[in-house]
Amino acid sequence: MDDLYREQIIERYKEPHYRGHLDPNDIQFEDDNPLCGDHIEITLRVDKDDKVVEAAFDGHGCAISQSSADLLVESIHGKALDEIKSMNKDAVLDLLGIELGHVRLKCALLSLKVLKAGVYGLGEANDDLVA
Amino acid sequence: MVNQKLVGFEVKRIRADFPILDRETQPGIPVIYLDSTASSQKPIAVIEAMNVFYRRSNANIHRGVHTLAEEATALYEEAREKIAKFINAPAAKQLIYTRNTTESINLVAHTWARANLKSGDMVILTEMEHHSNLVPWQMLKSERGIRLEFITVTEEGLLDLDSYRSLLDQNPKLVSFTHMSNVLGTINPAEEIIRLAHEHGAVTLVDGAQSVPHFGVDVQKLDVDFLAFSAHKMVGPTGIGILYGKQDLLENMPPFLGGGDMIKSVHLQEFVANELPYKFEAGTPAIAEAVGFGAAVDYLTSVGMDAIAAHEHEITEYALERLEEVPGLNVFGPNSQDKGGVAAFTFDDLHPHDIAQILDRDGIAVRAGHHCAQPLHEKFGVRATTRASFYLYNTKEEVDKLIEGLYKVKEVFN
Ligand SMILES: Cc1ncc(COP(=O)(O)O)c(C=O)c1O
């Protein structure tokens, strides 16, 4: 099997560890990938030092978009919001451990885009967030 | 091995004309191209025609008197004549070169529609339109307040002509519809739709992006007012398409883009528009592409549109049969009787991106997404589909590979 569908990705897709919606939450954001209609929502709870104590994602989409969301959400537990602000696409690619073509990169980076737009408190997500 | 019944031509010989079909996507993995609905591959004849044009005859067209300009102009206009003959247009000047189907439709929306439609006027479209036959009218709706109404699509993926008839009674000004759906494969009864529209005084536009490449389209038999299509879907180059129009309509339309070539004369305060078709061809056009388009039409003619349609029908019928065997797979659209060479499907709850990506490992090129027909997908309650499409160079063996590939997809996600 090739890298793109290695076991971890399929596992996380089929049985994500962090799927859900936190209510109440401190930060919530959602967005689509217009190319394929994939959708990701991320909710966070942060402590008084602005560190993530709990995080979850919800949505639908391909194995790449959903598993990267799950892995990303896992990786930010305990992180300060300022650290999240400085994350870029390499963070997600490191988590996935694979190389991606132009189209699939968008799938993989949707969750980071949503996360950063939420953390920055933006009205709208944009691609510059994951450059 | 599947028994390859030959209909009118030998697929092997056709395939030899398309160099790209020899390539491997990875060592030992030949490409299996099932994405011709998005864009077709090109035969040597087309590639060479453009190559030779650039090597021998390249120059800007019109007004030049030197040998190369003369030659380039002649080739550009010869191509127009060939394409005109291909769709049986009364005259070549009724064919306007555009960039593609999308631009052809936008041309009508910008010129004919702006001159003839006012607030409250009704335009009939269908629920199976490609975005290129939706958005230009939506733009006109927000600018002008025109009214959009839609012929509904039945569960099987056919146009509901009863819904059409009831719309016709409301005095439509334009009926604009796709000849063949790029998702469902449905071949619509264009002649009847056009006849009914004319009986009610409406002008008609046919999106021929998927019909002109795949079966014989005769504009006089259809009696269509406007026909739009793209070269790149009919073994020709990208960057060039056609808007065909009835002469009186075209003559009475204001020009589209302003600039060189589209004028008869220009003064500081005003201009006089050129004659057909140049009135709509501002600036230096895609000259080599026109030459390639001419070669594409020659190629399709030499194979024969009836033979191409028969071959595609056979492949499609076989593909639908084989796809039906796959558990959890659901093909949208009518059965092969009313259907062109398109099979868009869902497969369990697998995401089309994942399906397409895993098929790609075996060199199989299919498309995943809403195929620029989002409202149609919404209608069928799916976000996206995976689409395999077939053209003159596809074989039953390739369909078999697709089916094997789909079983592999299932394995990955077991
Ligand atoms: C039915 C239909 N209409 C219009 C188009 C748009 O064609 P183009 O992108 O060449 O303008 C397509 C191409 O996908 C199509 O399938």
Side-chain angles (χ1 to χ4, degrees):
Chain A
M1 192 195 294
D2 72 0
D3 276 339
L4 212 49
Y5 290 91
R6 67 205 180 86
E7 215 143 301
Q8 184 195 23
I9 290 172
I10 300 290
E11 283 305 309
R12 287 293 183 129
Y13 174 59
K14 289 201 291 202
E15 280 174 46
H17 302 182
Y18 296 93
R19 185 178 281 282
H21 171 88
L22 300 177
D23 188 22
N25 58 60
D26 300 303
I27 291 174
Q28 185 272 348
F29 199 85
E30 58 193 304
D31 199 21
D32 302 310
N33 177 351
L35 281 181
C36 50
D38 286 6
H39 183 86
I40 298 271
E41 182 214 49
I42 289 181
T43 43
L44 306 177
R45 286 187 189 134
V46 295
D47 64 14
K48 58 181 185 347
D49 303 323
D50 271 352
K51 280 206 165 89
V52 175
V53 285
E54 228 179 320
F57 83 99
D58 209 348
H60 53 79
C62 63
I64 304 295
S65 76
Q66 302 299 297
S67 60
S68 59
D70 199 46
L71 291 164
L72 177 68
V73 162
E74 178 174 67
S75 78
I76 59 170
H77 278 82
K79 268 209 169 98
L81 294 186
D82 279 341
E83 282 177 86
I84 292 176
K85 286 180 184 170
S86 68
M87 288 172 85
N88 62 17
K89 72 173 183 204
D90 294 332
V92 176
L93 292 178
D94 286 349
L95 288 169
L96 287 169
I98 54 177
E99 279 182 34
L100 287 171
H102 183 77
V103 175
R104 299 316 295 278
L105 198 58
K106 282 212 187 309
C107 305
L109 295 180
L110 177 59
S111 50
L112 180 62
K113 197 162 108 177
V114 166
L115 174 66
K116 287 183 74 174
V119 168
Y120 274 109
L122 300 179
E124 239 178 82
N126 65 69
D127 284 340
D128 291 342
L129 290 169
V130 293
Chain B
M1 272 279 83
V2 177
N3 170 24
Q4 181 81 54
K5 196 176 118 217
L6 299 174
V7 198
F9 60 74
E10 209 180 325
V11 189
K12 235 166 99 185
R13 283 227 322 269
I14 298 283
R15 289 180 69 82
D17 294 334
F18 291 80
I20 208 169
L21 299 179
D22 279 341
R23 89 156 262 192
E24 300 180 334
T25 55
Q26 296 161 57
I29 311 271
V31 68
I32 294 175
Y33 191 73
L34 303 180
D35 195 21
S36 297
T37 289
S39 197
S40 73
Q41 295 304 346
K42 326 299 175 199
I44 295 164
V46 168
I47 300 166
E48 276 308 303
M50 294 172 72
N51 196 342
V52 168
F53 174 80
Y54 278 127
R55 283 169 173 273
R56 268 194 62 83
S57 311
N58 179 55
N60 209 335
I61 52 166
H62 305 315
R63 295 176 315 277
V65 289
H66 59 79
T67 305
L68 296 187
E70 279 286 352
E71 250 177 67
T73 306
L75 288 165
Y76 180 76
E77 292 304 333
E78 266 166 37
R80 196 193 310 265
E81 306 231 341
K82 287 176 187 177
I83 305 161
K85 216 169 133 208
F86 188 70
I87 58 167
N88 194 29
K93 66 178 176 188
Q94 290 172 256
L95 275 74
I96 295 146
Y97 284 126
T98 61
R99 280 190 305 143
N100 46 39
T101 305
T102 304
E103 186 174 296
S104 298
I105 296 171
N106 274 277
L107 197 164
V108 176
H110 273 265
T111 63
W112 178 86
R114 275 188 170 73
N116 290 282
L117 301 184
K118 53 183 194 314
S119 175
D121 280 351
M122 180 168 125
V123 169
I124 300 181
L125 308 169
T126 85
E127 290 179 335
M128 62 168 81
E129 295 313 306
H130 187 279
H131 295 167
S132 62
N133 194 28
L134 283 174
V135 181
W137 307 114
Q138 293 169 346
M139 287 164 77
L140 201 63
K141 178 183 162 186
S142 38
E143 188 190 306
R144 273 283 157 93
I146 60 165
R147 196 173 124 215
L148 304 182
E149 295 292 344
F150 294 85
I151 306 175
T152 53
V153 171
T154 66
E155 272 305 303
E156 313 127 80
L158 301 173
L159 288 183
D160 176 1
L161 292 186
D162 285 339
S163 78
Y164 177 43
R165 285 195 191 87
S166 63
L167 290 172
L168 282 171
D169 291 333
Q170 301 170 45
N171 190 27
K173 292 290 190 294
L174 173 72
V175 180
S176 185
F177 64 99
T178 189
H179 202 169
M180 175 177 139
S181 160
N182 66 318
V183 178
L184 305 168
T186 316
I187 298 170
N188 291 317
E191 216 173 316
E192 188 183 352
I193 295 172
I194 292 163
R195 184 177 50 78
L196 289 169
H198 287 163
E199 281 172 19
H200 289 80
V203 166
T204 54
L205 187 161
V206 166
D207 171 352
Q210 296 302 340
S211 60
V212 178
H214 298 282
F215 49 90
V217 173
D218 178 332
V219 291
Q220 296 190 63
K221 182 152 176 284
L222 284 178
D223 196 26
V224 65
D225 299 298
F226 295 109
L227 174 73
F229 53 102
S230 302
H232 71 95
K233 294 184 197 282
M234 48 190 291
V235 311
T238 54
I240 191 158
I242 290 286
L243 174 69
Y244 159 85
K246 283 193 180 153
Q247 192 169 329
D248 55 331
L249 285 171
L250 292 175
E251 271 169 356
N252 288 311
M253 276 154 62
F256 182 32
L257 302 174
D261 280 332
M262 52 75 68
I263 45 82
K264 197 171 272 164
S265 59
V266 179
H267 314 283
L268 283 180
Q269 296 291 350
E270 75 264 321
F271 70 95
V272 180
N274 206 339
E275 291 168 10
L276 289 180
Y278 311 111
K279 173 173 144 186
F280 297 105
E281 293 178 3
T284 301
I287 307 168
E289 287 77 3
V291 174
F293 199 172
V297 158
D298 281 344
Y299 180 83
L300 293 176
T301 306
S302 74
V303 179
M305 290 310 289
D306 288 345
I308 291 171
H311 173 75
E312 279 178 35
H313 185 76
E314 191 183 336
I315 297 289
T316 307
E317 203 163 36
Y318 179 69
L320 293 179
E321 226 175 86
R322 297 279 343 248
L323 287 165
E324 218 162 83
E325 293 165 13
V326 182
L329 195 144
N330 177 36
V331 181
F332 290 86
N335 58 29
S336 64
Q337 224 43 40
D338 302 298
K339 192 175 174 94
V342 177
F345 55 85
T346 53
F347 188 19
D348 290 336
D349 57 355
L350 296 175
H351 194 285
H353 264 173
D354 293 324
I355 298 171
Q357 186 99 50
I358 295 171
L359 289 174
D360 180 61
R361 299 194 304 207
D362 291 327
I364 303 167
V366 297
R367 197 150 282 259
H370 51 54
H371 319 298
C372 295
Q374 221 172 338
L376 181 68
H377 280 76
E378 277 169 16
K379 159 126 197 158
F380 283 97
V382 292
R383 283 187 198 93
T385 52
T386 307
R387 181 184 72 188
S389 55
F390 314 107
Y391 206 8
L392 71 165
Y393 36 66
N394 290 119
T395 67
K396 289 184 179 173
E397 286 78 3
E398 290 180 313
V399 172
D400 293 338
K401 285 266 172 51
L402 169 67
I403 303 294
E404 279 168 38
L406 288 169
Y407 280 107
K408 286 192 199 167
V409 171
K410 203 156 187 148
E411 246 167 59
V412 172
F413 287 93
N414 57 25

